[in-house]
Amino acid sequence: MFINDRVDVALAVGATGVHLGQTDMPVSTARKLLELTHPDSPCLIGVSVGNVDEAKRAVLDGADYVGIGAVWDTKTKDLVKPVLGVRGVGDILDIVGDAGIPSVAIGGIKIHNALHTLHGAVGPITGTALSGLAVITEIVSAPDASIPAKALTKIINSRSKHFHWPALCLAPNTAPSAALLAENAGSLLTVLRERSPLVHQITNNVVIAQSANATLALGASPIMATAPEEMDDLGKVAGGLLVNFGTITNKAGMLVAGKAANTNKKPVVFDPVGVGATQFRRETASELLNSWQVSIIKGNAGEIGALLGSSEVVSRGVDSTGPGFSDPANIVRSLAKRERCIVVMTGKTDYVSDGYTTVALSNGHPMLADITGSGCIVGMAITAFAAASRLVAAETVEDEGKLVRGDMFQAAVAG
């Protein structure tokens, strides 16, 4: 049994542990009191942390574990700090992971976002994953608390198989050959044309008609919906979601659509058009990536560099400038590892990586730079192939621990 805040109560009942907030008794003082009273049965001490500085202090103070949050918005208590999102949790995990301190995420954890929290909240440097989740409202507010408790336990147990190998990556030591990738791309195209999955596209105003027609030409079915009110329904029926923010006119729709796709385990493709051009675009990209788990990021060199924080290649509006990256394979690999997804960088040579396996595709042509929307259509094609890959993937018990079914790496190569 763990006692929240009250060291005196923990002492009185001989609790297993006590959890302290940032305004409670310091860890060092609590440790002295607990050891003085119960020298033969040490009491564990956990600390709530909401930023990197608090995590560093918890490590120095000798905390036995940390509770990281709030991850999402919560009604359990009034928040005095901004929610962290999975990226913020990941930064803290790098600190506590180095010290070998276990951690749980807390704040707004629900059945619908538990898997995203576990998958996305990983230290970008150390690869440290969460030890577990702390859940309050989802369980105590349910008429039958056992139902959400069992559902969350199932998610945590199934996800544990992927803690040390991201669920969107290829299996270890299974890098496919070029011939196999090409063969599988052809097979996916056949599936696409035979089954015509619905491809939901929130795309920029410049290419809406072009993308819709290209979707039909490829064999899929387009729907170009942007209203937040219809995203829950579309998340259930669409085969995949493309979020292209070349013209950011409905951020609310993008936010809700991505969450709905995650809830229904549908592929999410993100095309951060011109993300390096303005501060608003950079902030919007960060907000979107912190709100839902993307399956595939597709962008040109300037866009991929901007997401990674690299200045080696810069953007001019929506276009990249300069000769490109000196080590493009490492760039896409680094972003894929950080964002826990597949990354596609387009150009004269396209690069696709899951953070471990990287392939180069020499399919570029100078004429593509002379038309508007060619990159946007590539994003659509990747989404269509991702939807097709989900259709043909055999459903297994391990799918409970995955954010999306299907081979997203193969879909990215095919697109």
Side-chain angles (χ1 to χ4, degrees):
M1 178 173 63
F2 279 73
I3 302 298
N4 193 41
D5 299 338
R6 297 286 298 272
V7 176
D8 56 338
V9 175
L11 287 168
V13 301
T16 305
V18 62
H19 189 87
L20 304 174
Q22 288 296 312
T23 59
D24 295 327
M25 183 183 297
V27 173
S28 56
T29 304
R31 182 82 68 193
K32 289 177 182 177
L33 288 172
L34 292 165
E35 289 178 349
L36 182 65
T37 309
H38 298 288
D40 298 325
S41 55
C43 185
L44 298 174
I45 301 177
V47 179
S48 296
V49 298
N51 55 50
V52 168
D53 288 338
E54 291 175 357
K56 289 179 178 178
R57 187 162 59 249
V59 171
L60 291 174
D61 288 347
D64 294 303
Y65 75 92
V66 295
I68 305 174
V71 185
W72 311 109
D73 191 27
T74 176
K75 306 301 181 188
T76 302
K77 61 169 63 178
D78 294 330
L79 299 179
V80 296
K81 293 189 285 277
V83 296
L84 290 166
V86 293
R87 288 168 137 201
V89 175
D91 292 337
I92 292 173
L93 284 170
D94 275 336
I95 303 300
V96 299
D98 264 347
I101 297 176
S103 60
V104 295
I106 189 170
I109 307 292
K110 311 288 185 185
I111 291 172
H112 71 81
N113 63 24
L115 191 55
H116 175 205
T117 304
L118 290 168
H119 175 89
V122 174
I125 299 173
T126 63
T128 302
L130 288 163
S131 306
L133 303 174
V135 183
I136 302 173
T137 304
E138 187 82 334
I139 294 176
V140 300
S141 65
D144 182 350
S146 69
I147 294 176
K150 288 177 181 177
L152 287 162
T153 299
K154 188 176 182 181
I155 291 170
I156 292 170
N157 289 341
S158 60
R159 179 67 189 121
S160 65
K161 300 174 184 177
H162 304 287
F163 269 169
H164 301 294
W165 192 260
L168 289 170
C169 294
L170 300 173
N173 304 315
T174 59
S177 66
L180 183 60
L181 286 171
E183 180 183 345
N184 289 343
S187 298
L188 279 181
L189 180 59
T190 299
V191 171
L192 217 167
R193 290 175 172 170
E194 289 178 348
R195 301 183 64 174
S196 190
L198 182 65
V199 180
H200 179 197
Q201 301 172 58
I202 302 178
T203 193
N204 70 77
N205 296 339
V206 178
V207 299
I208 291 175
Q210 291 162 273
S211 292
N213 285 326
T215 307
L216 292 169
L218 196 57
S221 177
I223 182 166
M224 323 301 274
T226 61
E229 293 81 3
E230 55 186 337
M231 296 309 168
D232 284 343
D233 289 336
L234 287 173
K236 297 171 185 174
V237 298
L241 168 69
L242 169 66
V243 175
N244 170 318
F245 73 6
T247 49
I248 309 173
T249 55
N250 200 324
K251 185 172 71 171
M254 295 176 181
L255 287 166
V256 179
K259 292 176 182 178
N262 279 173
T263 298
N264 292 282
K265 297 191 174 184
K266 303 296 178 65
V268 179
V269 178
F270 180 43
D271 189 348
V273 178
V275 65
T278 66
Q279 183 65 23
F280 175 65
R281 287 175 185 263
R282 290 189 290 274
E283 290 174 353
T284 300
S286 181
E287 183 179 0
L288 293 174
L289 291 172
N290 214 15
S291 298
W292 33 255
Q293 178 60 50
V294 64
S295 308
I296 303 169
I297 294 174
K298 172 263 153 197
N300 61 31
E303 292 156 355
I304 297 301
L307 288 181
L308 193 59
S310 169
S311 58
E312 185 180 354
V313 174
V314 296
S315 298
R316 183 184 61 190
V318 300
D319 299 317
S320 293
T321 61
F325 291 106
S326 58
D327 188 355
N330 184 56
I331 291 293
V332 294
R333 187 163 49 243
S334 297
L335 185 61
K337 274 190 176 182
R338 196 188 76 182
E339 298 299 338
R340 310 275 289 168
C341 68
I342 311 300
V343 171
V344 179
M345 185 168 72
T346 58
K348 183 178 180 180
T349 300
D350 300 330
Y351 292 88
V352 181
S353 181
D354 62 358
Y356 300 87
T357 300
T358 304
V359 299
L361 307 171
S362 300
N363 294 323
H365 194 285
M367 289 183 66
L368 291 173
D370 297 331
I371 62 170
T372 296
S374 60
C376 300
I377 292 172
V378 171
M380 174 282 299
I382 290 173
T383 310
F385 277 105
S389 182
R390 183 182 183 277
L391 287 174
V392 299
E395 191 167 355
T396 68
V397 292
E398 287 196 357
D399 286 337
E400 288 292 336
K402 294 182 179 180
L403 283 155
V404 62
R405 192 168 74 244
D407 187 341
M408 296 298 104
F409 188 92
Q410 176 65 65
V413 170

